[in-house]
Amino acid sequence: MLRFTILGTGTSTGIPCVACNCETCISEDPRDTRLRTSLLVQSETTTIIIDTSADFRQQMLKHGVKKIDGIVYTHHHYDHISGFDDTRPYTFFNDNTPIQCFALRQTHEVIRQTFPYAFGEAEQVGGGLPGAEFTIIDDEPFMIGDIEVVPIPMKHGSIRVNGYRFGSFAYCTDTNHVPLSSIEKMQNLDILILDALRYHPHPTHFTIEEANEMSKMINAKQTYYTHIAHQIKHADCEKTLPENCFLAYDGLQFEIA
Ligand SMILES: [Zn+2]
Ligand SMILES: [Zn+2]
Ligand SMILES: [Zn+2]
């Protein structure tokens, strides 16, 4: 059995946005509070985190994650990598064993440029460093512990990103184009998590309408939207969605046999 926990469903600003007083940002509905987009995947013996979001520390505390067997990155944008430094305690409390990280080549390069001190490129030595060992991935499936991870290549504006499939669950954040070859990798899904930023068009994310169309093409039993901006108020938007489409929210869990 695999358990999936949605750690965050917010776009890059997080919701509420600082300095905003819109209806969503002052909403008392807990589903309108969204940490940055991230996912926890767990089997009996293996724990995987998808992306180290800007809210990584809070997300790990909230869900009591005591060990991580692998971190898998979708892409290099700051909202998805900036929690990398906060992985340090997982190394300290695990006999300084480096955390296994899996990323596209470009993602690894940007993480290296953003956190040079963690890669032996510090101006001085001192203090604790994140210990991470990177494996460069592309579109070939790979194993972390007993969990098979199947990359799903997608476009996010002009950049290549990866979605991931685990059994009958797929996670496709930060995209506005899923090629046919990747739609084929998502047949017979029970649950699809899909990018849907807002109502108005955006150059790198699906709108709600585009996500509705994409979910019809992929045809999972249920589709849940993530990476949601503050223009979307949960209760109002969800009423307008097609049957089998929903908005995800922080803390939402799924279990799959
Ligand atoms: Zn993002
Ligand atoms: Zn707002
Ligand atoms: Zn992005």
Side-chain angles (χ1 to χ4, degrees):
M1 196 208 50
L2 290 178
R3 179 189 289 138
F4 301 89
T5 305
I6 308 287
L7 298 174
T9 53
T11 189
S12 55
T13 56
I15 316 295
C17 298
V18 293
C20 183
N21 286 315
C22 78
E23 255 190 76
T24 309
C25 289
I26 63 165
S27 165
E28 281 172 16
D29 183 342
R31 299 170 304 178
D32 286 322
T33 294
R34 305 174 186 130
L35 298 179
R36 263 59 71 90
T37 296
S38 178
L39 174 74
L40 172 64
V41 184
Q42 291 171 302
S43 69
E44 284 289 299
T45 54
T46 304
T47 297
I48 299 174
I49 308 285
I50 310 296
D51 293 330
T52 48
S53 89
D55 297 311
F56 174 81
R57 178 174 170 276
Q58 275 195 63
Q59 290 164 331
M60 295 306 98
L61 289 172
K62 194 161 157 189
H63 295 280
V65 180
K66 302 292 184 204
K67 72 156 193 147
I68 297 176
D69 299 290
I71 296 171
V72 181
Y73 286 96
T74 59
H75 68 305
H76 62 266
H77 283 160
Y78 195 71
D79 49 323
H80 297 260
I81 68 167
S82 49
F84 178 71
D85 188 77
D86 286 328
T87 63
R88 286 180 294 151
Y90 290 101
T91 308
F92 305 158
F93 294 117
N94 192 22
D95 297 326
N96 284 324
T97 311
I99 298 193
Q100 296 303 312
C101 296
F102 300 82
L104 292 165
R105 186 168 301 282
Q106 184 183 20
T107 307
H108 172 243
E109 273 165 22
V110 174
I111 291 173
R112 212 183 151 114
Q113 284 159 15
T114 309
F115 306 93
Y117 57 90
F119 296 87
E121 291 154 23
E123 54 194 17
Q124 60 178 356
V125 179
L129 300 175
E133 227 163 62
F134 274 82
T135 301
I136 304 298
I137 55 164
D138 192 351
D139 55 4
E140 288 299 313
F142 57 97
M143 296 295 295
I144 300 176
D146 61 354
I147 301 179
E148 186 189 37
V149 186
V150 181
I152 300 168
M154 311 186 294
K155 284 286 190 184
H156 178 30
S158 63
I159 71 164
R160 154 79 187 277
V161 301
N162 266 354
Y164 294 100
R165 179 174 183 154
F166 310 87
S168 63
F169 179 103
Y171 184 71
C172 296
T173 189
D174 290 66
T175 179
N176 63 340
H177 178 70
V178 183
L180 228 86
S181 52
S182 289
I183 292 175
E184 280 162 14
K185 287 186 163 194
M186 290 192 276
Q187 298 308 299
N188 304 313
L189 290 179
D190 286 319
I191 304 287
L192 167 66
I193 311 292
L194 184 64
D195 179 300
L197 182 73
R198 63 187 191 192
Y199 302 109
H200 301 296
H202 188 278
T204 66
H205 291 277
F206 283 134
T207 61
I208 295 284
E209 204 182 315
E210 289 164 340
N212 290 343
E213 273 167 40
M214 187 48 60
S215 71
K216 216 189 284 175
M217 286 177 74
I218 297 171
N219 198 27
K221 285 193 186 129
Q222 297 187 317
T223 303
Y224 287 81
Y225 297 154
T226 193
H227 214 287
I228 307 163
H230 70 148
Q231 290 92 340
I232 304 289
K233 197 154 182 280
H234 191 103
D236 296 347
C237 178
E238 201 166 60
K239 279 186 277 195
T240 71
L241 299 179
E243 216 189 337
N244 304 332
C245 292
F246 310 89
L247 291 179
Y249 53 87
D250 293 17
L252 179 63
Q253 286 188 326
F254 303 93
E255 280 184 1
I256 287 196

Coordinates of all heavy atoms in Angstrom, one line a residue, residues 1-9 36-43 45-53 56 58-72 74 90 147 149 164 166 169-171 193 226 249-256:
M1 N 0.8 -1.2 0.0 CA 0.0 0.0 0.0 C 0.9 1.3 0.0 O 1.9 1.3 0.7 CB -0.9 0.0 1.3 CG -2.0 1.0 1.2 SD -2.5 1.6 2.8 CE -1.1 2.1 3.6
L2 N 0.4 2.2 -0.8 CA 1.1 3.5 -0.8 C 0.2 4.6 -0.2 O -1.0 4.6 -0.5 CB 1.5 3.9 -2.2 CG 2.6 3.1 -2.9 CD1 2.8 3.6 -4.3 CD2 3.9 3.2 -2.1
R3 N 0.8 5.5 0.6 CA 0.1 6.6 1.2 C 0.7 7.9 0.6 O 1.9 8.1 0.6 CB 0.1 6.6 2.7 CG -0.7 7.9 3.2 CD -0.6 8.1 4.6 NE -1.3 7.1 5.4 CZ -0.8 6.5 6.5 NH1 0.4 6.9 6.9 NH2 -1.5 5.6 7.1
F4 N -0.2 8.8 0.1 CA 0.2 10.0 -0.5 C -0.4 11.2 0.4 O -1.6 11.2 0.7 CB -0.3 10.2 -1.9 CG 0.1 9.1 -2.8 CD1 -0.6 7.9 -2.9 CD2 1.3 9.2 -3.5 CE1 -0.1 6.8 -3.7 CE2 1.8 8.2 -4.4 CZ 1.0 7.0 -4.5
T5 N 0.5 12.1 0.8 CA 0.0 13.3 1.5 C 0.4 14.5 0.8 O 1.5 14.8 0.4 CB 0.6 13.3 2.9 OG1 0.4 12.1 3.6 CG2 0.1 14.5 3.8
I6 N -0.6 15.3 0.5 CA -0.4 16.6 -0.2 C 0.1 17.6 0.8 O -0.6 18.0 1.7 CB -1.7 17.1 -0.9 CG1 -2.4 16.1 -1.7 CG2 -1.5 18.4 -1.6 CD1 -1.7 15.8 -3.0
L7 N 1.4 17.9 0.7 CA 2.0 18.8 1.7 C 1.7 20.3 1.5 O 1.7 21.1 2.4 CB 3.5 18.6 1.7 CG 4.0 17.2 2.1 CD1 5.5 17.1 1.9 CD2 3.6 16.8 3.5
G8 N 1.5 20.7 0.2 CA 1.2 22.1 -0.1 C 0.6 22.1 -1.5 O 0.9 21.3 -2.3
T9 N -0.3 23.1 -1.6 CA -1.1 23.2 -2.9 C -1.0 24.7 -3.4 O -1.7 25.0 -4.3 CB -2.6 22.9 -2.7 OG1 -3.1 23.7 -1.6 CG2 -2.8 21.4 -2.4
R36 N 3.6 26.0 -0.1 CA 4.1 25.8 -1.4 C 4.0 24.3 -1.8 O 4.1 23.4 -0.9 CB 5.6 26.3 -1.5 CG 5.7 27.7 -2.1 CD 4.9 28.8 -1.3 NE 5.5 29.2 0.0 CZ 6.4 30.1 0.1 NH1 6.9 30.8 -0.9 NH2 6.9 30.4 1.4
T37 N 3.9 24.1 -3.1 CA 3.5 22.8 -3.6 C 4.6 21.7 -3.4 O 5.7 21.9 -3.7 CB 3.3 22.9 -5.1 OG1 2.2 23.8 -5.3 CG2 3.0 21.6 -5.8
S38 N 4.1 20.6 -2.8 CA 5.0 19.5 -2.4 C 4.2 18.2 -2.1 O 3.0 18.4 -1.8 CB 5.9 19.9 -1.3 OG 6.8 18.8 -0.9
L39 N 4.8 17.1 -2.2 CA 4.1 15.8 -1.9 C 4.9 14.8 -1.1 O 6.1 14.7 -1.3 CB 3.7 15.1 -3.3 CG 3.1 13.7 -3.3 CD1 1.7 13.8 -2.9 CD2 3.2 13.1 -4.7
L40 N 4.3 14.1 -0.2 CA 4.9 13.0 0.6 C 4.4 11.7 0.1 O 3.1 11.5 0.0 CB 4.6 13.3 2.0 CG 4.9 12.2 3.1 CD1 6.4 12.0 3.2 CD2 4.3 12.6 4.4
V41 N 5.3 10.7 -0.2 CA 4.9 9.4 -0.7 C 5.5 8.4 0.3 O 6.7 8.4 0.5 CB 5.4 9.1 -2.1 CG1 4.9 7.8 -2.6 CG2 5.0 10.2 -3.1
Q42 N 4.6 7.5 0.8 CA 5.1 6.6 1.8 C 4.6 5.1 1.6 O 3.4 5.0 1.4 CB 4.7 7.0 3.2 CG 5.4 8.3 3.7 CD 4.8 8.8 5.0 OE1 3.6 9.1 5.0 NE2 5.6 8.9 6.0
S43 N 5.5 4.2 1.7 CA 5.1 2.8 1.8 C 5.4 2.4 3.3 O 5.8 3.2 4.1 CB 5.9 1.9 0.9 OG 7.3 1.8 1.3
T45 N 7.9 0.9 4.4 CA 9.3 1.0 4.7 C 10.0 2.2 4.1 O 11.2 2.5 4.4 CB 10.1 -0.2 4.2 OG1 9.8 -0.4 2.8 CG2 9.6 -1.5 5.0
T46 N 9.4 2.9 3.1 CA 10.1 4.0 2.4 C 9.4 5.3 2.4 O 8.1 5.3 2.3 CB 10.3 3.5 0.9 OG1 10.9 2.2 0.9 CG2 11.0 4.5 0.1
T47 N 10.1 6.4 2.5 CA 9.5 7.7 2.5 C 10.2 8.6 1.5 O 11.4 8.7 1.5 CB 9.7 8.4 3.9 OG1 9.0 7.6 4.9 CG2 9.2 9.8 3.9
I48 N 9.4 9.1 0.6 CA 9.9 10.0 -0.5 C 9.2 11.3 -0.4 O 8.0 11.4 -0.2 CB 9.6 9.3 -1.9 CG1 10.2 8.0 -2.0 CG2 10.0 10.2 -3.0 CD1 9.8 7.2 -3.3
I49 N 10.0 12.4 -0.6 CA 9.4 13.7 -0.7 C 9.6 14.2 -2.2 O 10.7 14.1 -2.7 CB 10.2 14.7 0.2 CG1 10.3 14.2 1.6 CG2 9.6 16.1 0.2 CD1 9.1 14.3 2.4
I50 N 8.5 14.8 -2.7 CA 8.7 15.4 -4.0 C 8.8 16.9 -3.8 O 7.9 17.6 -3.4 CB 7.4 15.1 -4.9 CG1 7.0 13.6 -4.9 CG2 7.7 15.6 -6.4 CD1 8.1 12.7 -5.5
D51 N 10.0 17.4 -4.1 CA 10.4 18.8 -4.0 C 10.6 19.2 -2.6 O 9.9 18.8 -1.7 CB 9.4 19.7 -4.7 CG 9.4 19.6 -6.2 OD1 10.4 19.2 -6.8 OD2 8.3 19.8 -6.8
T52 N 11.7 20.0 -2.4 CA 11.9 20.7 -1.1 C 11.4 22.1 -1.2 O 12.1 23.0 -1.6 CB 13.4 20.6 -0.7 OG1 14.2 21.1 -1.8 CG2 13.9 19.2 -0.3
S53 N 10.1 22.3 -0.9 CA 9.5 23.6 -1.1 C 10.0 24.6 -0.1 O 10.7 24.3 0.8 CB 8.0 23.4 -1.0 OG 7.6 23.7 0.4
F56 N 9.3 23.6 3.3 CA 9.7 22.3 3.6 C 9.7 22.0 5.1 O 9.2 21.0 5.6 CB 11.1 22.0 3.0 CG 11.7 20.7 3.4 CD1 11.3 19.5 2.7 CD2 12.7 20.6 4.4 CE1 11.9 18.3 3.1 CE2 13.2 19.4 4.7 CZ 12.9 18.3 4.1
Q58 N 8.3 23.5 7.8 CA 7.0 23.4 8.4 C 6.2 22.2 8.0 O 5.5 21.6 8.8 CB 6.1 24.6 7.8 CG 6.3 25.9 8.5 CD 5.1 26.8 8.0 OE1 4.0 26.5 8.3 NE2 5.5 27.9 7.4
Q59 N 6.4 21.8 6.7 CA 5.7 20.6 6.2 C 6.2 19.3 6.9 O 5.4 18.4 7.3 CB 5.8 20.5 4.7 CG 5.1 21.6 4.0 CD 5.4 21.8 2.5 OE1 6.6 21.6 2.2 NE2 4.5 22.3 1.7
M60 N 7.5 19.2 7.1 CA 8.1 18.0 7.8 C 7.6 18.0 9.2 O 7.3 16.9 9.8 CB 9.6 18.1 7.7 CG 10.2 17.9 6.3 SD 9.6 16.5 5.4 CE 8.3 17.2 4.4
L61 N 7.6 19.2 9.9 CA 7.1 19.2 11.3 C 5.7 18.8 11.4 O 5.3 18.0 12.3 CB 7.4 20.6 11.9 CG 8.8 21.0 12.1 CD1 8.9 22.5 12.5 CD2 9.5 20.1 13.2
K62 N 4.9 19.4 10.6 CA 3.4 19.1 10.6 C 3.1 17.7 10.4 O 2.2 17.2 11.1 CB 2.8 20.0 9.5 CG 1.3 20.1 9.6 CD 0.9 21.3 8.7 CE -0.6 21.2 8.3 NZ -0.8 22.2 7.2
H63 N 3.8 17.0 9.6 CA 3.5 15.6 9.3 C 4.4 14.6 10.0 O 4.4 13.4 9.7 CB 3.4 15.4 7.8 CG 2.3 16.1 7.2 ND1 1.0 15.7 7.2 CD2 2.3 17.3 6.5 CE1 0.2 16.6 6.6 NE2 1.0 17.6 6.2
G64 N 5.3 15.1 10.9 CA 6.1 14.2 11.7 C 7.0 13.3 10.9 O 7.2 12.2 11.3
V65 N 7.6 13.9 9.8 CA 8.5 13.0 9.0 C 9.9 12.9 9.7 O 10.6 13.9 9.8 CB 8.7 13.6 7.6 CG1 9.6 12.7 6.7 CG2 7.3 13.8 6.9
K66 N 10.3 11.7 10.1 CA 11.5 11.5 10.9 C 12.6 11.0 10.0 O 13.8 11.1 10.4 CB 11.3 10.5 12.0 CG 10.2 11.0 13.0 CD 10.6 12.2 13.8 CE 9.6 12.6 14.8 NZ 9.6 14.0 15.2
K67 N 12.3 10.4 8.8 CA 13.4 10.0 8.0 C 13.0 10.1 6.5 O 11.8 10.1 6.2 CB 13.9 8.6 8.3 CG 12.8 7.5 7.8 CD 13.4 6.2 7.6 CE 12.3 5.4 6.9 NZ 12.7 4.4 5.9
I68 N 13.9 10.4 5.6 CA 13.6 10.5 4.2 C 14.6 9.6 3.4 O 15.8 9.6 3.6 CB 13.8 12.0 3.7 CG1 12.9 12.9 4.5 CG2 13.7 12.1 2.2 CD1 13.1 14.4 4.1
D69 N 14.0 8.7 2.6 CA 14.8 7.8 1.8 C 15.2 8.4 0.5 O 16.2 8.0 -0.1 CB 14.1 6.5 1.6 CG 13.8 5.8 3.0 OD1 14.8 5.4 3.6 OD2 12.6 5.8 3.4
G70 N 14.4 9.4 0.0 CA 14.7 10.0 -1.3 C 14.0 11.3 -1.5 O 12.8 11.4 -1.0
I71 N 14.6 12.2 -2.1 CA 13.9 13.5 -2.5 C 14.0 13.5 -4.0 O 15.0 13.3 -4.7 CB 14.7 14.7 -2.0 CG1 14.6 14.7 -0.5 CG2 14.0 16.0 -2.6 CD1 15.5 15.8 0.2
V72 N 12.8 13.6 -4.6 CA 12.7 13.6 -6.1 C 12.2 15.0 -6.5 O 11.2 15.5 -6.0 CB 11.7 12.5 -6.6 CG1 11.6 12.5 -8.1 CG2 12.1 11.2 -6.0
T74 N 10.9 17.9 -9.2 CA 10.1 18.1 -10.5 C 10.8 19.0 -11.4 O 10.9 18.8 -12.6 CB 8.7 18.7 -10.2 OG1 8.8 19.9 -9.5 CG2 7.9 17.7 -9.4
Y90 N 18.1 15.9 8.7 CA 17.9 14.5 8.3 C 19.3 13.8 8.1 O 19.4 12.6 8.2 CB 17.1 14.4 7.0 CG 15.7 14.7 7.2 CD1 15.2 16.0 6.9 CD2 14.8 13.8 7.9 CE1 13.8 16.3 7.2 CE2 13.5 14.2 8.2 CZ 13.0 15.4 7.8 OH 11.7 15.7 8.1
I147 N 9.7 1.5 -3.6 CA 8.7 2.3 -4.4 C 9.3 2.6 -5.8 O 10.4 3.1 -5.9 CB 8.4 3.7 -3.7 CG1 7.8 3.4 -2.3 CG2 7.4 4.5 -4.6 CD1 7.4 4.7 -1.6
V149 N 9.4 4.7 -9.1 CA 9.1 6.1 -9.5 C 9.2 6.2 -11.1 O 10.2 5.9 -11.6 CB 10.1 7.1 -8.9 CG1 9.7 8.5 -9.2 CG2 10.2 6.8 -7.4
Y164 N 5.5 12.6 -12.0 CA 5.8 11.3 -11.6 C 4.6 10.4 -11.4 O 3.6 10.9 -10.9 CB 6.7 11.3 -10.3 CG 8.0 12.0 -10.5 CD1 8.2 13.4 -10.2 CD2 9.0 11.4 -11.1 CE1 9.4 14.0 -10.4 CE2 10.2 12.0 -11.4 CZ 10.4 13.3 -11.0 OH 11.6 14.0 -11.3
F166 N 3.3 6.8 -9.5 CA 3.6 5.7 -8.5 C 2.4 4.8 -8.5 O 1.3 5.2 -8.0 CB 3.7 6.3 -7.1 CG 4.6 7.5 -7.0 CD1 4.2 8.8 -7.3 CD2 6.0 7.4 -6.7 CE1 5.0 9.9 -7.2 CE2 6.8 8.4 -6.6 CZ 6.4 9.7 -6.8
F169 N -1.3 6.3 -9.2 CA -1.3 7.7 -8.8 C -0.3 8.5 -9.6 O 0.8 8.0 -9.7 CB -1.0 7.7 -7.3 CG -0.9 9.1 -6.6 CD1 -2.0 9.5 -5.8 CD2 0.1 10.0 -6.8 CE1 -2.0 10.8 -5.2 CE2 0.2 11.2 -6.2 CZ -0.9 11.6 -5.4
A170 N -0.7 9.6 -10.1 CA 0.3 10.5 -10.8 C 0.3 11.9 -10.3 O -0.8 12.4 -9.9 CB 0.1 10.4 -12.3
Y171 N 1.4 12.5 -10.3 CA 1.6 13.9 -9.8 C 2.2 14.8 -10.8 O 3.4 14.6 -11.2 CB 2.5 13.8 -8.6 CG 2.7 15.0 -7.8 CD1 1.7 15.6 -7.0 CD2 4.0 15.7 -7.8 CE1 1.9 16.7 -6.3 CE2 4.2 16.9 -7.1 CZ 3.1 17.4 -6.3 OH 3.3 18.5 -5.6
I193 N -3.0 14.2 -9.8 CA -2.8 15.5 -9.2 C -2.3 16.4 -10.4 O -1.2 16.1 -10.9 CB -1.8 15.6 -8.0 CG1 -2.2 14.5 -7.0 CG2 -1.8 17.0 -7.4 CD1 -3.4 14.6 -6.2
T226 N -3.7 21.4 -8.2 CA -2.7 21.9 -7.2 C -2.0 23.1 -7.8 O -2.3 23.5 -8.9 CB -1.7 20.8 -6.8 OG1 -1.0 21.3 -5.6 CG2 -0.7 20.5 -7.9
Y249 N -6.2 20.2 -1.4 CA -5.9 21.2 -0.3 C -4.8 20.6 0.6 O -4.5 19.4 0.6 CB -7.1 21.5 0.5 CG -7.9 20.3 1.0 CD1 -7.6 19.7 2.2 CD2 -8.9 19.7 0.3 CE1 -8.2 18.6 2.7 CE2 -9.6 18.6 0.7 CZ -9.2 18.0 1.9 OH -9.9 16.9 2.4
D250 N -4.1 21.4 1.3 CA -3.0 21.0 2.2 C -3.5 19.9 3.2 O -4.5 20.1 3.9 CB -2.4 22.1 2.9 CG -1.7 23.1 2.0 OD1 -2.0 23.1 0.8 OD2 -0.9 23.9 2.5
G251 N -2.7 18.8 3.3 CA -3.1 17.8 4.2 C -3.9 16.6 3.6 O -4.1 15.6 4.3
L252 N -4.4 16.8 2.4 CA -5.3 15.8 1.8 C -4.4 14.5 1.6 O -3.3 14.6 1.2 CB -5.7 16.3 0.4 CG -6.6 15.4 -0.5 CD1 -7.9 15.1 0.2 CD2 -6.8 16.1 -1.8
Q253 N -5.1 13.4 1.9 CA -4.3 12.1 1.8 C -5.1 11.1 1.0 O -6.3 11.1 0.9 CB -4.1 11.5 3.2 CG -3.1 12.2 4.0 CD -2.7 11.4 5.3 OE1 -3.6 10.8 5.9 NE2 -1.5 11.5 5.7
F254 N -4.3 10.2 0.3 CA -4.9 9.2 -0.5 C -4.1 7.9 -0.1 O -2.9 7.9 0.1 CB -4.6 9.4 -2.0 CG -5.2 10.7 -2.5 CD1 -4.4 11.9 -2.5 CD2 -6.5 10.8 -2.9 CE1 -5.0 13.0 -3.0 CE2 -7.1 12.0 -3.4 CZ -6.3 13.1 -3.4
E255 N -4.8 6.8 -0.1 CA -4.1 5.5 0.0 C -4.5 4.6 -1.2 O -5.6 4.6 -1.6 CB -4.6 4.8 1.3 CG -3.9 5.4 2.5 CD -4.2 4.7 3.8 OE1 -5.0 3.7 3.8 OE2 -3.7 5.1 4.8
I256 N -3.4 4.0 -1.7 CA -3.6 3.2 -2.9 C -3.0 1.8 -2.7 O -1.9 1.7 -2.2 CB -3.0 3.9 -4.1 CG1 -4.0 5.1 -4.4 CG2 -2.9 3.0 -5.3 CD1 -3.8 5.7 -5.7

